[in-house]
Structure formats: structure tokens, C-alpha cells
Amino acid sequence: MKVSTRQVDGITILDLSGRITLGEGSVQLRDSVRDLLAKGSKYILLNLADVNYIDSSGIGELVSAYTTVRNQGGELKLLNLTKKVHDLLQITKLYTVFDVKDDEASAIASYTRA
């Protein structure tokens, strides 16, 4: 899995590509989110447009990242889900937990910044 980071209007966007699976993919996601929180970034948007596969540990990592960000007073949202990932979140009933957006502009506008 590859992760690239960019900033738009005070929101940190993580562009993820590849597979979020047990091992390297989930570790990269966890480390990226923790690094951002340590640097004071509380508004995180995960762009999953190029993520073609997530296994159960990847789902666990998404939930863990979401919880960690929320506990530190931030917001984590998901952007550009592929059909596979969208279906997976529907099946696991996590689609209602995450704030999922389809386009970057509305996602960025949806953050409640203090």
C-alpha cells in the first residue's frame, strides 16, 4: 500500500492506494494517522479511490483510526470508496459509523472546524 499526504484548507488528506490488509497495509495506515495526530492534525480525510481491497484487519484498522481521531477531538472521514469497499462497509454495517463522501470539495466543506 502507498500513502501520500496533502493539505487542503486545514484538512489533511491521505491518498491511499493498493490493499489495506493484515501486515504492511494496516500498519502503514495506523502509523500515518498516529503521525498526523502527533503533529496536531485533527481533521483527516482518507481518500480510498485507489484502494482495491480491504481485509478484516484493514477494516479493524479503519475503525481503530476513526476511534483514535475521535478520542483526540478530531474528525476522520472517508472519500471516494470503490464499489468493493462500499459494499464491504454496507455488509459490516460500518457505513453508518463512518462519514463517507463522494467528492473532495463537499468532504472538505463538511468538517466542523473550531
Side-chain angles (χ1 to χ4, degrees):
M1 185 178 87
K2 288 187 183 145
V3 180
S4 61
T5 307
R6 56 196 169 93
Q7 292 278 340
V8 179
D9 290 346
I11 307 298
T12 304
I13 301 172
L14 290 178
D15 294 307
L16 309 177
S17 64
R19 301 158 60 95
I20 305 175
T21 57
L22 182 62
E24 197 176 318
S26 56
V27 170
Q28 273 184 293
L29 177 60
R30 180 186 318 131
D31 289 349
S32 299
V33 170
R34 286 194 179 145
D35 286 350
L36 291 174
L37 288 170
K39 292 174 186 164
S41 298
K42 293 213 183 299
Y43 303 108
I44 301 171
L45 183 61
L46 299 181
N47 181 4
L48 303 177
D50 295 325
V51 172
N52 52 23
Y53 182 77
I54 300 180
D55 70 3
S56 59
S57 73
I59 289 283
E61 206 49 61
L62 284 176
V63 172
S64 172
Y66 177 82
T67 307
T68 303
V69 172
R70 293 289 293 214
N71 288 344
Q72 297 206 17
E75 290 180 69
L76 182 136
K77 301 187 183 194
L78 305 180
L79 174 68
N80 294 329
L81 301 185
T82 60
K83 180 168 177 13
K84 263 186 186 172
V85 174
H86 179 277
D87 291 347
L88 187 61
L89 289 181
Q90 290 279 31
I91 290 166
T92 56
K93 305 274 192 265
L94 289 171
Y95 196 77
T96 56
V97 173
F98 290 105
D99 192 347
V100 179
K101 302 294 182 194
D102 291 327
D103 77 284
E104 196 172 294
S106 68
I108 289 166
S110 73
Y111 281 86
T112 53
R113 286 165 269 194

